[in-house]
Amino acid sequence: MTTQTPSTTTPQAPSYPQQVTGMDILVRALGMVGIDTMYGLVGIPVTELAYIAQGRGIRFISFRHEQQAGMAAATHGYVTGKPGVLLTVSSLGFLNGLTATANATVNCYPMIQISGSSVREPIDLLQGTYEGLDQLSIAKPLVKAAYRVNKPEDIPTAVVRAYRAAISGRPGGVYLDVTTPCLGAIMNAEDAEKLFYSPVDLCPAMPPAPGAIERAVALLASAKKPAIVIGKGAAYARVEEQLKTLVDKTGIPYYPMSMAKGVLPDNGPLSAISCRSTIMAEADVVILAGARLNWLLSRGHGKWSQNTKFIQLDISPEEIDCNRPIAAPVVGDLASSLEALTEGIARAGMNMDPTWVPGLQKESEAKNAKFKGRLADNSSAMPMNHWTALGAIKPVLESNPDVILVNEGANTLDDTRDSIDMSLPRHRIDCATWAIMGMGMGSAIGAAVATGKSVVAIEGDSAFGFSGMDFSTICRFKLPVTVVIFNNGGIYNGIGVNMGTDGDPAPTTLDVRARYDKLGDAFGAATYYVTTPQELTDALTKAIASKAPALIDVQLGADSGKESGHIGYLNPTPLENITV
Ligand code: ADP
Ligand code: MG
């Protein structure tokens, strides 16, 4: 008979290798390329992904509407030079976000929209699954690049590819589709660990060809009346120093496009910001520095002299000749191109007409004095109009140059752009190339989060309506954002007349008596309702100093503003010519 000796060791639980999910891998891969912030709106299948991201130190800014989260990601990309990331759910969330990703692509803002998508097989067979939508196919024509990742093993590669596509060459919006099974797939942590790598040189310099520089230098050296048009590509490329050197060394005057205001100071001695028509009519050689000859520059026609020759500095070869022959294309990254051009022209020397710059300066002086009069003249007009309000805002913003100005609307956009001088680069963000409405709260949030700076968003009442609910996001995240609403009670203005007999509001009519400040109250912001220029000056000064969420409802007259602002010529028929 044998006696059993009791075991001295306690029984061990069976040991399994540590496991991770596709979501863990995705968060880690984003961290590896330096993503520290995500903007989005959660739900099936990405809720846990956002929790994991937050837990691992990636800031998650949660929105009320995906379009605004996307606008924030795009603005983050524009002001930092690194892709902003938008996270959306499947179907409608994806579609809402895609609006912003498409807009980012048109504007050359780098961003990545990551969207969860449902199980593929029933989508492909149209069998009717939860939020079933062929998202990849829908995204493709609207974005710079689109990828789908089906296996967790592929996630790190997918993230690096999306990053490179967003930022390299001409930046743009990239779509990354991640299926629900991929997000939930499980891998051994040890195997997953082997997938990660640090990509080398995520945004390589792309210097121009020496021959292209020679050609451009020869043309510039022959110019009698040269000018530089600075576009938001230059703001994005952070070439303010290179542009300053070129301007300092050559004395060439410059004209900034809307979002390029401040790349070089709007009120500098060589700023020709008030002389757009003269430059178009008289300049013989124009350097386009990160600006496209698109509709915002009359596609190179209209008021442009047909004798003007262009030197176009752009990263995108397809941009050249797209509307008008370009005499000297310089394809390359702007920093390299500007440095080479400056070096070349320093050697070749300029031959400018000695009357060109003094003439522009004289014209600027006269126009600026007239404009100043317009802002001051109206200071007693009641109720306020756009100019009165801007006359009150101008000194406050110009004495706070480091505040980022976000701006959308029709008259509110045009008049603000014309009134407020900018002196720092990437401090003006607006509806840009598509001239769309509905970027305000998103861009304000993206700008504040990405830079830590104070933001003032000057919004038309209609424009604000597209994104107004995300004012609550500004409040939840306690961002230093002041929203200023110009309430003239309508799209363009509040005096539209219904051409029928049903008594409904006219298509352009909103509510001139709406108290937007009460909307701010609902979310705990500091709020102001102002009816005079002095009240507006005081409220804005206080709001900026508070570095906290604020909303200023500016009461304008319903008759302030004209249809379509400065671009009424784009309407098929002027409203006054319509009869029913
Ligand atoms: P704007 O509206 O201010 O005129 P656009 O958005 O029309 O500006 O044009 C910006 C241009 O800048 C685009 O053609 C884009 O390809 C170019 N661009 C963007 N980044 C760079 C860069 N790093 N180097 C050179 N060109 C760039
Ligand atoms: Mg309005």
Side-chain angles (χ1 to χ4, degrees), residues 18 49 86 90 151 253 271 286 305 311 327 454 464 467 507 509 512 543:
Q18 208 194 335
L49 176 61
L86 162 67
S90 36
K151 296 192 306 213
S271 167
V286 169
S305 157
I311 298 171
S454 294
F464 175 72
S467 67
T509 301
V512 77

Side-chain angles (χ1 to χ4, degrees), residues 386 410-412 460-463 486-494 510 556 560:
H386 289 78
N411 296 276
T412 303
D461 57 331
S462 163
F486 277 13
N487 186 11
N488 64 352
I491 300 173
Y492 311 132
N493 57 44
L510 296 168
L556 302 187
S560 182

Side-chain angles (χ1 to χ4, degrees), residues 15 36 42 54 94 102 104 110 128 130 186 247 254 265 267 284 301 323 382 397 403 418 423 437 450 478 541 551:
S15 86
D36 55 13
V42 299
Q54 210 170 40
F94 153 77
Y130 169 77
I186 288 172
V247 167
Y254 57 86
N267 57 10
D284 57 353
H301 302 290
N323 272 307
M382 284 298 289
L397 283 186
V403 166
D418 290 350
S423 50
M437 295 302 116
K478 302 185 175 57
T541 307
L551 192 151

Side-chain angles (χ1 to χ4, degrees), residues 269-496:
L270 287 169
S271 167
I273 194 165
S274 321
C275 306
R276 178 184 165 106
S277 302
T278 308
I279 286 177
M280 286 175 144
E282 291 183 29
D284 57 353
V285 175
V286 169
I287 301 173
L288 296 166
R292 286 174 284 193
L293 269 185
N294 58 17
W295 72 282
L296 289 155
L297 285 171
S298 313
R299 296 197 286 112
H301 302 290
K303 289 183 179 169
W304 284 103
S305 157
Q306 287 314 298
N307 298 322
T308 307
K309 292 198 164 69
F310 291 95
I311 298 171
Q312 183 158 26
L313 313 184
D314 206 289
I315 195 113
S316 169
E318 305 96 272
E319 188 57 36
I320 309 300
D321 284 343
C322 80
N323 272 307
R324 184 171 158 159
I326 300 297
V330 178
V331 175
D333 72 88
L334 265 168
S336 307
S337 297
L338 282 167
E339 280 158 18
L341 188 65
T342 306
E343 214 181 282
I345 197 65
R347 263 187 277 114
M350 296 285 296
N351 282 294
M352 235 194 288
D353 176 341
T355 65
W356 173 233
V357 170
L360 290 173
Q361 286 170 333
K362 214 168 146 205
E363 181 183 336
S364 298
E365 233 170 80
K367 286 207 174 134
N368 294 350
K370 204 166 149 201
F371 197 76
K372 219 170 163 185
R374 182 193 294 194
L375 287 174
D377 262 4
N378 288 299
S379 57
S380 58
M382 284 298 289
M384 285 191 284
N385 59 39
H386 289 78
W387 298 113
T388 333
L390 286 162
I393 287 173
K394 184 176 166 71
V396 184
L397 283 186
E398 289 177 5
S399 59
N400 286 284
D402 208 25
V403 166
I404 295 177
L405 173 59
V406 169
N407 187 201
E408 63 172 335
N411 296 276
T412 303
L413 174 83
D414 296 331
D415 299 346
T416 304
R417 182 181 56 233
D418 290 350
S419 305
I420 312 292
D421 284 343
M422 307 301 296
S423 50
L424 294 174
R426 296 170 294 283
H427 277 59
R428 181 182 160 85
I429 295 152
D430 63 33
C431 16
T433 305
W434 260 350
I436 46 98
M437 295 302 116
M439 45 68 72
M441 297 307 101
S443 286
I445 293 165
V449 168
T451 65
K453 293 187 180 194
S454 294
V455 175
V456 170
I458 302 186
E459 302 270 313
D461 57 331
S462 163
F464 175 72
F466 290 81
S467 67
M469 195 64 195
D470 268 301
F471 182 74
S472 71
T473 302
I474 292 170
C475 296
R476 269 182 300 126
F477 285 86
K478 302 185 175 57
L479 299 172
V481 176
T482 302
V483 176
V484 179
I485 300 169
F486 277 13
N487 186 11
N488 64 352
I491 300 173
Y492 311 132
N493 57 44
I495 53 171

